[in-house]
Amino acid sequence: MTECLGVKGALFAPDGRIVSIQRTSDTDTFPGLWDVPGGGWDAVKDTTPAECFTREVREELGLELDPRRITYERLYPSLKHAGKLVCFVAMDITEQEAAAIELLEEGLQWRFVEIGEYLACEQAVEPMQQRLQDYMSHLAHVAVAS
């Protein structure tokens, strides 16, 4: 079991775009910027990063997702808390799930965005851009190896 401070992740629609959520301006981290879904670890509810992520997606976007559908998981050092870890995951969603998304809390708005657009966006959360780039590099290496 890996416990971490929080989990963020890329939700991939069937057309390859990801879900991005604009953070509220009253948050203490990255106010107003475009982020990916996810959030903080709940020691009572979460036993794995995948469970943390799917709980956060349910709370933020109203989607019930099976944690076993996570296709990628990587730990990173926390930028705010020395010696602690955070996690980045990736998961594909179906067309039906994509159509059912509704912003429930913790954001101003959401949208689907092309990977390149998110990576180049000056109003995106930079650590998430880097983690998404790491994931895309991982995919490229897997494709070359197979």
Side-chain angles (χ1 to χ4, degrees):
M1 172 177 69
T2 302
E3 185 174 330
C4 51
L5 294 177
V7 183
K8 292 282 192 167
L11 284 179
F12 284 87
D15 64 5
R17 295 180 299 162
I18 62 167
V19 174
S20 184
I21 301 171
Q22 187 178 23
R23 298 177 62 84
T24 60
S25 57
D26 61 354
T27 184
D28 60 343
T29 54
F30 308 111
L33 297 184
W34 288 92
D35 201 355
V36 294
W41 187 273
D42 184 320
V44 174
K45 298 176 183 174
D46 303 326
T47 59
T48 66
E51 286 179 359
C52 177
F53 180 68
T54 55
R55 177 186 54 75
E56 285 288 338
V57 168
R58 182 176 54 254
E59 292 173 2
E60 294 174 4
L61 301 171
L63 295 180
E64 282 290 336
L65 302 174
D66 185 338
R68 296 172 295 185
R69 290 174 48 198
I70 299 273
T71 58
Y72 173 83
E73 181 179 300
R74 180 172 170 185
L75 295 172
Y76 290 85
S78 170
L79 298 174
K80 291 175 69 174
H81 304 282
K84 301 290 185 175
L85 298 172
V86 295
C87 189
F88 186 83
V89 300
M91 174 186 262
D92 294 332
I93 59 174
T94 67
E95 286 184 29
Q96 293 80 12
E97 290 164 337
I101 292 173
E102 62 177 303
L103 189 62
L104 300 178
E105 59 180 60
E106 299 181 27
L108 296 174
Q109 60 183 323
W110 76 274
R111 65 184 174 121
F112 286 111
V113 62
E114 300 286 342
I115 301 289
E117 183 182 347
Y118 187 81
L119 294 176
C121 179
E122 292 182 9
Q123 295 300 312
V125 174
E126 190 276 328
M128 296 310 111
Q129 290 173 306
Q130 183 58 54
R131 292 168 192 171
L132 181 60
Q133 183 62 58
D134 290 347
Y135 173 65
M136 300 310 292
S137 295
H138 165 78
L139 288 181
H141 287 106
V142 169
V144 168
S146 55

